[in-house]
Amino acid sequence: MSYNKLWKLLIDRGMKKKELQQASGISAASIAKLGRNGNVTTDILLKICHALDCDISDILEIKR
């Protein structure tokens, strides 16, 4: 999976990773995992979607 869409969305909204962390209530470790395209739970992804008022397809894409 790739979270490049998430980082682009943050740039478009003028939001920093720290602000996303605070708005969504996720840990710094989860932000770091996302930065490495690592595995995170669907709960984390849903918290991000709620904080950004977006759909999951707006923040990730599946690479084949």
Side-chain angles (χ1 to χ4, degrees):
M1 283 195 281
S2 170
Y3 299 103
N4 289 339
K5 285 182 162 186
L6 171 61
W7 309 131
K8 178 159 179 7
L9 185 61
L10 290 182
I11 290 168
D12 291 346
R13 294 186 182 193
M15 194 175 200
K16 297 189 182 302
K17 290 179 183 179
K18 185 71 172 175
E19 293 169 325
L20 173 63
Q21 179 187 342
Q22 293 169 343
S24 60
I26 63 175
S27 69
S30 294
I31 294 285
K33 283 183 185 177
L34 291 166
R36 294 187 308 269
N37 291 325
N39 292 328
V40 294
T41 65
T42 52
D43 185 50
I44 301 249
L45 297 175
L46 289 175
K47 286 180 180 182
I48 291 170
C49 288
H50 287 301
L52 296 176
D53 191 29
C54 67
D55 190 54
I56 199 158
S57 62
D58 296 326
I59 64 170
L60 71 87
E61 65 181 330
I62 296 173
K63 300 263 184 168
R64 296 182 188 187

